[in-house]
Every structure is written in structure tokens, then in C-alpha cells.
Amino acid sequence: MSIQKWNASQVAKKVINNEELFILDVRNADAFEDWKIDGRRFKYLNIPYFELLDGIEEILPKIPTNKEVLVVCAKEGSSLMIAEMLSDAGHDVAYLAGGMKSWSEYLEPIKVGDLTGGGELYQFVRLGKGCLSYMVISKGEAAVIDAVRFTEIFTSFAEQKNVEIKHVFDTHLHADHISGGRHIAESTGATYYLPPKDAEEVVFHYTPLVDGTTVQIGTTKIEVGALYSPGHTIGSTSFVVDSKFLLTGDILFIDSIGRPDLAGLAEDWVGDLRDTLYKRYRELSHELIVLPAHFMIIDELNEDGTVAKPLGVLFGQNHGLNVQDEEEFRRVVTDQLPPQPNAYQEIRKVNMGKIAPAPDEQTEMEIGPNRCAVR
């Protein structure tokens, strides 16, 4: 029977389009439990590769014949071998090119909405890592916000749209993924902005991003306005784009809120986090569409694949915005934290410019799910 080689883009379309898929994941059980390809209508079977070396006869009754079957491993080789065995046994199957490594790195650009004067706002969804990046486009110019390290994705997209990247922002010093922001700025000549309170140890040039900073994109009045919103980090800064969208960085997510401990200062920053969420954000228009820098679970995706909801809706639905007792809130964000991101301390050093690991090392540092949030 046939064997197909699927790339991460094909799998992403199945996630976004809410399609059915059966995944045979041949990684070790602990790796599968920690992190897998999530889809609302996906079914899974996890059998470590080494348990199948002597044959696949025992699992054949568990492999459906009425659904598409995808075999997944860490880097590709093991899944190809198992796919060949399934094909020999009479199954039509596919395997994931590049394995979970390629899934971790893939970004799907999706249009979020139109802006004043013909501008556009795009969200780049990194399904395998939960990262969300943004590009604001207007009259031949673009701004990039919270770019991940795969810089060519953003520069190529700008070329496709026939726009020049003029400004690059990071809402904060990231700890769970490596930023591509300053590298995009270096390659395009754009201005790179970073909150100064997060930049005390950086070793490169940047333009301070402070409360009230307003940068116009293009000739139409599309403004990217900065709003100081500490709590995830002491420098965390949000953006109000075109008076329509609120980019919250890692402070507020759709189904959760940001954790304050990744610089080892949870007790110091929990008060800032609460002030941002319960005071400063509540002064904003509840009609603003919240666009976070991460998502945790697949249910946070809308039908079109975007991750976005009105601020007023989140005030009613997000548990982290409805803990009225301050001591309980403190316990939630300091005592009930999930595991910290993989290699987060080293990732912070990369984003400070202090170390420059090889690409393969950077991949290993980032492997795993999003762990920036508290639910």
C-alpha cells in the first residue's frame, strides 16, 4: 500500500480545519505525555519504536482503516521505518517529514483583521510550540512583534506582501523561546525595540520601548502604541494596534494568565501581575481584541485557526481574571505553577546576546510545549 511524506504545513492545515487524523507516535512514553501534536479530532496511539522492531502484528488491530494515519517520531527516521512496515501489512499511511522537530518549528500565517486605510494584521501561529508572532502591514511598511528565531519566515512573508520591515518589537525578554527580533532588525535595517527594564543585561544595541511609545506604520494612521504591563517580567509591555487590537505578550492569554517566576522573582512580581490584569487592563476598552504571544491548549484556537478574543469576554471567562481574593491570587500564580520551560535560563541568556548556540542546540533548547502560563 502507499506511503506519503507529509510536511508540517499539511498537518497544520488538518489542525486548523478541525479534520480527523489518527496518529501513531513512536517516541518514548514520557516524551509523548509531555508533548504531542494536538488536534481537536485527533486520535492517538503511543507505542515506542523499540517495541515494534520485532514486528507490528500486535498493534495492527488498533490501526484504523477508515481514517488517515500519520506516524510520528522525534526526527523522522523511526516513523519512516514503521510506516513502511504498516504499508507492507496493507495500510495506507503517512509519516511526518522532520518529525517533531519540524512540527516545533513550523509557523502558519493567518490574517487576523483589516486596519484603517487598507492595512492588515497577521498572526503567525506556531502550533507545535504555542508561540504567536505578529506583523502589522500598511502602505508598504511593516512592523513585526514577538518574532521567533526563524527569521526567514517573516522576511519572506514581507517580500510576498511587497512591504519593508521598518520596526521590530519584543514585548518582553522571552524565556521559553529564542527571539528572532534583533536578527530581523539587523538584516532589514529596521529599528529594534525592547523594554529597558528587561534589557539591563543585554549586550546589543536596542531602542527603549517605554510606556506611551507610539510608532506609526505606513502613511496611514495605524499606530502601535506601547502600554507598560509588568508581571510576567518587570518590563512586559503590551500594544494597542489601531485602537482595535490588544497584543498582551505573555501577560494575558485566552484561557490563562502569565507566570511571574521565570526570572526567579515570582514573589516580587506577583503584585505587578495583579495590578496589570485587575487595574490597568480594566481601564481599556472591553471591545479590544486580545492577541497573546502564546496559547496553551488547542481549544484556544478559533475556527479559522487564530487565537483571539475580545477583552470583555475574557473578563467574564478567564479564571485568572476572576480571583477576587489577593492572597488566593498570589497562591495561584506562585504555588500552582506548571514545570518551567525547557532550558529557560539559557534561552534568556541567548535573548540577552550573552551566548550564541548552534542551530541544533537552539532546537533542543526549545523542544517541548508552551509553559509560560498559569491555568
Side-chain angles (χ1 to χ4, degrees):
M1 304 297 283
S2 67
I3 301 176
Q4 296 183 0
K5 182 178 183 178
W6 287 3
N7 58 35
S9 174
Q10 290 171 277
V11 181
K13 294 294 191 298
K14 292 187 179 298
V15 174
I16 292 169
N17 295 333
N18 201 24
E19 297 178 20
E20 289 188 356
L21 181 65
F22 184 90
I23 295 180
L24 172 59
D25 194 315
V26 298
R27 294 175 298 150
N28 289 338
D30 57 346
F32 174 76
E33 288 298 326
D34 184 52
W35 177 50
K36 66 181 185 297
I37 300 175
D38 282 317
R40 290 189 181 95
R41 301 179 67 196
F42 289 7
K43 302 296 183 182
Y44 307 90
L45 176 62
N46 172 226
I47 305 290
Y49 165 75
F50 64 84
E51 294 184 16
L52 301 173
L53 291 177
D54 293 331
I56 59 170
E57 290 75 16
E58 290 189 8
I59 70 165
L60 287 177
K62 300 178 181 179
I63 306 298
T65 56
N66 60 345
K67 293 181 182 178
E68 291 183 304
V69 176
L70 177 68
V71 188
V72 174
C73 68
K75 296 181 179 179
E76 179 181 319
S78 300
S79 61
L80 172 57
M81 182 172 292
I82 300 303
E84 290 173 340
M85 296 168 71
L86 287 169
S87 177
D88 291 342
H91 283 270
D92 291 322
V93 295
Y95 68 96
L96 178 60
M100 291 298 288
K101 176 181 180 294
S102 69
W103 182 243
S104 173
E105 297 176 353
Y106 179 74
L107 283 89
E108 177 79 14
I110 306 175
K111 184 177 177 179
V112 175
D114 294 314
L115 303 174
T116 302
E120 298 175 318
L121 176 58
Y122 285 86
Q123 183 180 70
F124 292 73
V125 184
R126 190 177 175 188
L127 289 165
K129 182 68 179 171
C131 300
L132 301 167
S133 305
Y134 298 90
M135 185 179 290
V136 177
I137 292 175
S138 174
K139 300 294 183 181
E141 295 185 0
V144 180
I145 301 168
D146 285 334
V148 296
R149 64 186 174 92
F150 312 110
T151 59
E152 186 177 348
I153 292 170
F154 302 98
T155 55
S156 295
F157 191 80
E159 289 177 7
Q160 293 172 26
K161 291 293 181 179
N162 196 29
V163 297
E164 184 178 355
I165 297 174
K166 290 286 192 177
H167 306 277
V168 183
F169 304 86
D170 269 319
T171 56
H172 63 289
L173 188 78
H174 296 279
D176 81 313
H177 72 270
I178 295 168
S179 169
R182 65 186 174 95
H183 301 294
I184 293 174
E186 288 169 2
S187 67
T188 62
T191 303
Y192 176 59
Y193 299 82
L194 186 66
K197 291 185 178 181
D198 278 1
E200 293 179 353
E201 297 183 58
V202 304
V203 297
F204 50 80
H205 173 74
Y206 70 96
T207 297
L209 177 62
V210 297
D211 196 21
T213 298
T214 298
V215 177
Q216 185 166 315
I217 310 300
T219 56
T220 53
K221 195 175 179 60
I222 295 176
E223 296 178 339
V224 179
L227 174 74
Y228 181 51
S229 44
H232 176 65
T233 68
I234 195 60
S236 289
T237 300
S238 305
F239 294 87
V240 176
V241 176
D242 198 30
S243 301
K244 298 177 182 178
F245 300 95
L246 176 63
L247 277 65
T248 55
D250 284 352
I251 286 288
L252 174 62
F253 308 111
I254 301 303
D255 191 50
S256 55
I257 59 176
R259 61 190 298 166
D261 68 310
L262 296 184
L265 296 170
E267 292 292 339
D268 294 339
W269 291 353
V270 64
D272 292 313
L273 179 62
R274 186 171 177 86
D275 283 347
T276 292
L277 296 175
Y278 285 71
K279 294 179 181 178
R280 192 145 208 202
Y281 276 2
R282 290 180 186 272
E283 296 172 353
L284 303 175
S285 168
H286 287 202
E287 301 301 315
L288 287 170
I289 303 300
V290 171
L291 299 172
H294 285 92
F295 67 95
M296 279 188 69
I297 57 176
I298 199 69
D299 289 342
E300 292 176 73
L301 270 65
N302 298 321
E303 288 188 3
D304 62 356
T306 61
V307 180
K309 268 193 179 179
L311 181 60
V313 171
L314 297 190
F315 282 139
Q317 296 181 354
N318 189 312
H319 172 71
L321 295 176
N322 289 280
V323 183
Q324 299 308 320
D325 183 79
E326 291 191 25
E327 282 306 311
E328 182 185 351
F329 180 86
R330 180 178 294 272
R331 288 193 297 272
V332 167
V333 300
T334 58
D335 296 344
Q336 301 177 25
L337 295 171
Q340 291 173 320
N342 187 42
Y344 74 98
Q345 292 174 322
E346 288 77 12
I347 289 174
R348 282 171 52 83
K349 291 179 181 178
V350 175
N351 289 335
M352 292 175 188
K354 290 184 174 182
I355 59 176
D360 285 349
E361 293 178 85
Q362 294 184 33
T363 297
E364 290 302 316
M365 291 166 71
E366 288 190 333
I367 286 292
N370 165 43
R371 291 187 175 127
C372 282
V374 181
R375 291 183 72 226

